[in-house]
Amino acid sequence: MFETKITKMFGVKYPIVQGGLMWIANSQLTSAVANAGGMGFMTALSFPDPDALREEIRKCKKMTDKPFGINLTFLPTLRQPDYPGYIQACIDEGIKFIETAGRSPEPYMDQIKSAGIRVIHKCTTVRHAVKAEKIGCDAVSIDGFEAAGHPGEEDVTSLILVPLTRDAVSIPVIASGGFADGRGLVAALALGAEGMNMGTRFVATKEAPVHEKIKQALVDHGETDTRLIMRSLRNTERALKNPVVDKVLEIESRGNTKIEDIAPYVSGDRGKKMLESGDTDSGVLSAGQCMGMIRDIPSCGQLLERIINEAEAVVREKFGKITAGR
Ligand code: NAD
């Protein structure tokens, strides 16, 4: 029922995408998503160098014979990643899809496209989606204000952003931000997307390689429990409200914030330790408003099956009645 331009492009069963998740989207999670019929992207920057990414790609290939891709995020970082090296590792390992995110992938398009790799650019504004199409991206993933991580600076929700992006580009659109269940999938398709991306929902799955207490925190917290940090640096991040986030907000409220002022609190290394220890008060945990809809910790297989069953039921019960009544 849910074959779309995106399922055809990726060669997967369901139009459900697990986008890049820093420290979390590794071979264990991404292969589980792939085996469940979705499209998963391992996050390159989670691995210290291109060789480590290469190893993880090989590991993932042993865990699934289904398609999967690599996420490359171009945002400010405390360390300078070797982007050409990571791309070369993808090329050498026969990766067919790269999800870029954040800043424009334009400086790397020649290297990526000359290897025949398709680019799905994740962005947060219509104009960036238009630019992505212009520079040769094959699809865009448009991230609404509800999203975890970096939802941009313009605060437009998915309900508005997805149809406007659909109207503005002719390449396939993936709806991202606020999606966590079968109702969301039907809504994403109705808004003009060819599929939906989920991040936070995939962190609360059995296969996500994080401490159980992190997963439980996503179950226990609701849609109002996130805060936006780093707005003063125009690098906004939506995260679970906790004492570290409160501290960052307090520093930002003083004005003239520099990255050095908050780096000890927001650093990825600190976040990585938090994901391993399960101490949800010890770092910044990216989390979306869809936390309100996360009530359990299923396997990826159970999750995708449930989403598809729910989406089919919505189509049958709601739209079936509407069309039958005409
Ligand atoms: P990191 O330790 O290099 O930096 C920690 C945080 O500070 C990140 O959010 C980063 O964007 C921000 N930052 C660093 N230097 C900055 C500067 N000069 N100005 C403004 N903000 C600055 O980050 P990491 O945890 O190792 O992650 C690596 C990359 O992946 C970062 O670019 C990060 O933003 C990105 N990331 C993306 C998502 C997502 O949802 N797409 C989630 C987590 C991390």
Side-chain angles (χ1 to χ4, degrees), residues 63-79:
M63 296 164 89
T64 184
D65 57 1
K66 306 273 192 310
F68 66 91
I70 300 297
N71 163 282
L72 266 182
T73 296
F74 303 115
L75 280 173
T77 47
L78 297 174
R79 60 199 158 100

Side-chain angles (χ1 to χ4, degrees), residues 54 74 136 204 258:
R54 204 183 295 274
F74 303 115
K258 296 183 198 60

